[in-house]
Structures are given as structure tokens and as C-alpha cells.
Amino acid sequence: MSHTESAAGPEDGVTRRTSVLRAASAACGLAGAFCALVFVFLIGFSVSGDRLVQTAVELFFPASNADLFYFFGEGYEALGAALHRVPDAPPEYAFFLSLPVAIGTGISVASLAGTAVFSLLALIRAIRFFCKKTQEAPEFFAAAAWGFYLAGTAALRALVGCSADLSAEFAGIRLLSLHAEFLPNNATKTGIALSTAFVAAALFLYALPKLRALFRPPRPADAVLFFAQTAVAAALFCFLPSSLFAIRADELPVTDRLIGSARAETGFFTLSNLLASAMLEQGASSAELAACAGFAAASFFLRLACTAFASALLVVLLHAPFGRRAAEGWLAVGALVCALCSFLSLLFALREALDAAVPDGTLSGFPSASALLVAFAAAECALSLVSVLLGRKRHPRAAASEETAR
């Protein structure tokens, strides 16, 4: 009897330790979902930096402060006031001004609804888990709630975020360098930090019993490919909040020896306002500008689609680190196609917008972030291709580990 008890002791210890980890993981997941649900209502952006440049930044966005609910009320009030000031403007003018506000409303609704629904599902799952009515913990519902909150914040950042830099040189010596930006406020940064910390802790505790297998790949090449693919896929998601394009004006003569330069990174909101301004002030063709706005909007949504493919690829990679992943190739190709189409659409839209708004060629611009997005997507595609090719000649240990996982 004592031999039986001693034999059962280690198993009981492992089971108890696993139960504690699962409970801690569920609690952290629920805390992360709660933070996402609270802070999704506090998503906001504000201007910070040198006061002289703040005025320039405020030209890019019609409010010095904006929150999630800007796109439910104040944004439409500002839109109505702008249209009222130009009663005889063509229909395309209203289209250019209203398009970013409508997109912002759609993003806000999706972020609020997704975060609320998955937070509620996480709560229900947590209650059932702690009441011993299910073995499924709420980590993945919590991760989905956090994902909607983070994606909503990032998409709004890509829509309205902007920054500006001004500098001046006298006889080759830089006299001043000023910077200002319209970026997420402190409440948004706090919410991202807290929710990310809790969800990361939940997923780590959930995967902790399986981490040993993660560092014992069937072949060294499998480990290198897995970590490289995961890092690049995560980097693709990080491109979502970046500004759509950068515009600059160099060697602006202030006096004979005083030379100024300016650089701005802006989102879709600014580009749409630039098109509206070009129509009124420069008399540019409304048909061409409408096509330009359509390409810019398509570029914005294609970047969202690229991020969705990258997120799905991350889920597939983490679900089967060294097993067969049939969908990884298609997801990587989808991300590359979306990134490439987004880049080409934005390149055309930016060129047409700058030519229409500033015909003398003083301003120049290039969607550098979109170009990097294409490069990372191509790298992910290449890594996935190598992974698929190696997967056809898998080591026997890989097949055995996959069968064991099943």
C-alpha cells in the first residue's frame, strides 16, 4: 500500500501543479479581457510636442484631441460644419471629407462590439471553468477580446495618427529641430500595457507545461524556421498602426542663408482632406481625385487584410509549432498579395494627391512603411515555402510528436 501511495504521489503532484497553472492562466486571461473591455471605451489620441509644430499637426486633423466616440458625434459635427462653409462644393468634396469619418465609425463599432462580445464569452467560460463545469479555460476568448481592442486602436492610429518635424539650418549649421505628434494618449497606452501583460501571462501559463517540447524540436531547422516565422508574422501585425505615408519638403529658402525643411507622417484622414483641398483650391479633376481616394481607401483596407492574414498565421504557427501546418503557405501568400496591392494602390494615390495639391513639385512623398510591409510579407512567404518543403520530408520524431499531440 505504501508502494502504491508513493507511486501515485508524483502523478498527484503533477496534476495539482497543472491545475494551479490552469487556474492562474484563467484568472490572468479574465483580467486581460476586463482591462480590454474597460479601456476600449477610453481609446483616444492627443497632440504632444513642441507648441510651434503642434499647430502644424492640428492642420492634419480637425481636432487637437479625439477619442473613440469622436466618430459617433463630434466627427460628424465637424463634417457638417466643413460642408456648410462650402455650400456650392461638388459631391466629391463631401465624399472626400466623409469617407475617413465613416471608416473611423466602422472601426470603432467593430472594436467595441468585438471586445465586448469576447470579454463576455471569456467571463462565461471562466465562471464555468471555476465551477468545474468545463475543462476549457477562457484564455483564447480573452486573447480575442484583447486582439479586437488592440486592432481597433492600431487601425484608428493608422487612420488619424500623424507627426511633423520642422528644422532650420543657417550656413550649414542646424539651428532648431522641432517635433510634434498626434498619437494615442496615456489612457490608451496604459490599457494596451495592462491588457497585453495579463493576456501574455495567461497564454504563457497555459503553454508552460508544453514549453519543454517547444525547445526539443525534431530537427534544428524546424526550430529556426518556427521562431523566424513567428517573429516575422508578429512584425507584420506591428505595421498596422504605422502611418500610411510620409511627405517632405527640403531646402525651403527662408532667407538667403537660412534654409528650412519639413517632414510629416500622416494617415488616411489627412490624405482624404488633401484631396478635398486640391479640388477646391487647385481646381483638380474631381473624377481623378475620386479614383485617387478609392485607391487610398483600398490600400487602407488591404493593410487591415494583411494584418488579418498575419494574425491567422500566428494562430496556426502557435497551434502546431513542429507539426504539419497545411494552411501556413496560403496565409503567407494572402498576406503578401494584400501587402503588395496595398503598396501599389497607395503609391498611385499619393502621387496623384501630391500632384493635384502641390503642382509645383515642392512636396515629395513615399509610402515607406508599406514598402517595408511588402518586404516582411515576402520574407514570411519565403520562410513558409521552406517550411512546407521541409515538412514533406519530416523527421520521424516530428511525425511521432504530432501523433502524440493528437
Side-chain angles (χ1 to χ4, degrees), residues 184-195:
N185 57 23
N186 291 332
T188 303
K189 295 175 182 177
T190 301
I192 292 174
L194 287 176
S195 60

Side-chain angles (χ1 to χ4, degrees), residues 166-200:
L166 298 177
S167 61
E169 295 182 0
F170 183 79
I173 301 174
R174 175 164 292 189
L175 298 180
L176 75 147
S177 180
L178 304 176
H179 173 80
E181 55 191 2
F182 188 72
L183 292 176
N185 57 23
N186 291 332
T188 303
K189 295 175 182 177
T190 301
I192 292 174
L194 287 176
S195 60
T196 301
F198 280 120
V199 170

Side-chain angles (χ1 to χ4, degrees), residues 214 216-230 317 320-323 325 386-399 401:
L214 190 62
R216 295 178 59 193
R219 297 170 299 187
D222 293 324
V224 173
L225 275 173
F226 168 71
F227 287 111
Q229 285 178 276
T230 303
L317 289 170
F322 305 121
R325 302 184 292 264
V386 174
S387 177
V388 170
L389 292 177
L390 286 180
R392 293 176 180 174
K393 301 178 180 180
R394 289 187 306 157
H395 192 277
R397 270 185 59 194
S401 62

Side-chain angles (χ1 to χ4, degrees), residues 75-143:
Y76 289 96
E77 293 176 2
L79 173 63
L83 295 177
H84 181 73
R85 286 193 295 269
V86 191
D88 56 344
E92 289 84 1
Y93 179 75
F95 171 73
F96 294 146
L97 292 184
S98 60
L99 184 58
V101 180
I103 291 175
T105 303
I107 294 173
S108 301
V109 169
S111 182
L112 284 171
T115 305
V117 168
F118 282 104
S119 296
L120 179 60
L121 290 175
L123 176 61
I124 294 173
R125 177 65 62 81
I127 293 173
R128 288 176 56 81
F129 176 78
F130 285 115
C131 291
K132 309 295 184 183
K133 293 184 177 181
T134 181
Q135 293 297 315
E136 298 293 332
E139 294 91 348
F140 294 104
F141 283 141

Side-chain angles (χ1 to χ4, degrees), residues 154 232-242 307 373:
V232 176
L236 287 175
F237 185 89
C238 294
F239 274 97
L240 176 58
S242 60
T307 304
L373 183 67

